Amino acid sequence: MRIVDMNWMQVEEHVKTDDRCVIPVGSVEQHAYLSLGVDMILSERVAVDAAEPLRVPVFPVLSYGITPYFKAFPGTVCLRQETAIAVARDVLDSVRRAGFRKVLMVNGHGGNNPIGAFAQEWVSENPDMAVKWHNWWNAPRTLAKVKEIDPLASHGSWMENLPWTRLPGVAAPDLRKPLVDLEALRVMNPEQARRLIGDGNFGGYYERPDTEVLEMWRIAVEETRALIQGPWPQ
Ligand SMILES: [Zn+2]
């Protein structure tokens, strides 16, 4: 359940019997023909779908992430690492103050991994807490399904093209893009990166039938739910 559908008294009662919560982490950045919000939409939705039957509260997604390489694409918003980590620290301090002790951070964007490294450091300073950092799209079962459908799948491709990230009236090209040179990309400035990436898809089909993407989604939800369930350190 979404924590914004609870009031503070309900949270106070809730943590007495269940001290788990979920914090989704996303990004607002170019995703080729898809919504700029793909990473924030998917991380929040997979978290909400996973937590629903467990009645574990899900905080609103941390929408903005660390995405310096997409700065030349209009609409992309990039936090500096220190900003993103400062926000994560304040949010973790806040959920701890509310009585939560087990936190699953569901991340939708690879560039945010420094926040996951920080979370480990934060736990060392708050040893009554446990925090799991979960990259939902490359967790083992989800990734295996993705590779089965299309091993080229990458940023901005079909694996992020779901009914809730598509834009009305925007058609995805009916082709399979060769993988961009990721090694070259890593040493480029934002303008060079934009020239290399072109429309924004890193490689793979732009779209697959909903039967396939929704099967991937079902696995991603299950895999995320299992992490909320446990095991958690005692
Ligand atoms: Zn993405």
Side-chain angles (χ1 to χ4, degrees):
M1 64 193 145
R2 294 175 191 267
I3 201 145
V4 294
D5 293 328
M6 302 170 78
N7 63 32
W8 70 266
M9 299 92 157
Q10 291 170 320
V11 173
E12 189 167 63
E13 275 311 298
H14 185 91
V15 294
K16 289 177 185 167
T17 56
D18 189 346
D19 59 4
R20 299 172 295 174
C21 72
V22 182
I23 304 172
V25 186
S27 181
V28 174
E29 62 181 44
Q30 77 79 13
H31 275 83
Y33 298 91
L34 303 168
S35 163
L36 284 157
V38 164
D39 292 345
M40 57 169 281
I41 293 168
L42 295 181
S43 63
E44 186 168 71
R45 186 156 179 146
V46 81
V48 168
D49 288 359
E52 193 60 45
L54 307 176
R55 300 197 53 72
V56 168
V58 178
F59 280 85
V61 62
L62 303 181
S63 306
Y64 299 125
I66 303 165
T67 182
Y69 32 86
F70 292 150
K71 274 183 177 174
F73 289 89
T76 295
V77 174
C78 179
L79 297 185
R80 285 168 295 152
Q81 287 197 26
E82 61 186 279
T83 311
I85 287 170
V87 170
R89 180 194 298 281
D90 288 351
V91 172
L92 287 169
D93 285 345
S94 300
V95 302
R96 180 174 176 274
R97 205 161 44 240
F100 293 105
R101 292 294 178 266
K102 303 178 182 80
V103 182
L104 179 68
M105 299 184 85
V106 178
N107 178 43
H109 169 62
N112 290 339
N113 282 326
I115 302 171
F118 159 73
Q120 249 184 329
E121 179 183 297
W122 183 83
V123 166
S124 76
E125 293 159 0
N126 296 274
D128 56 343
M129 296 294 296
V131 180
K132 293 181 189 174
W133 179 256
H134 173 49
N135 288 329
W136 75 263
W137 77 97
N138 69 6
R141 287 186 57 212
T142 304
L143 190 64
K145 186 68 193 173
V146 167
K147 298 280 180 206
E148 180 191 311
I149 298 171
D150 172 22
L152 278 192
S154 190
H155 175 91
S157 75
W158 66 269
M159 65 180 289
E160 302 192 296
N161 185 341
L162 286 103
W164 36 90
T165 56
R166 279 169 214 153
L167 300 175
V170 179
D174 184 18
L175 53 91
R176 192 180 191 206
K177 187 177 175 179
L179 202 61
V180 301
D181 185 346
L182 296 175
E183 201 123 341
L185 181 63
R186 264 189 280 276
V187 293
M188 287 181 170
N189 69 35
E191 290 296 340
Q192 294 161 335
R194 179 175 166 171
R195 278 199 298 276
L196 176 78
I197 306 164
D199 65 13
N201 177 0
F202 278 13
Y205 293 107
Y206 286 79
E207 191 167 40
R208 296 296 303 166
D210 273 350
T211 46
E212 290 181 7
V213 290
L214 294 178
E215 177 60 10
M216 175 203 72
W217 188 252
R218 189 186 63 76
I219 292 168
V221 168
E222 275 180 16
E223 199 166 31
T224 302
R225 184 174 299 143
L227 289 170
I228 301 172
Q229 285 173 311
W232 291 93
Q234 291 307 309

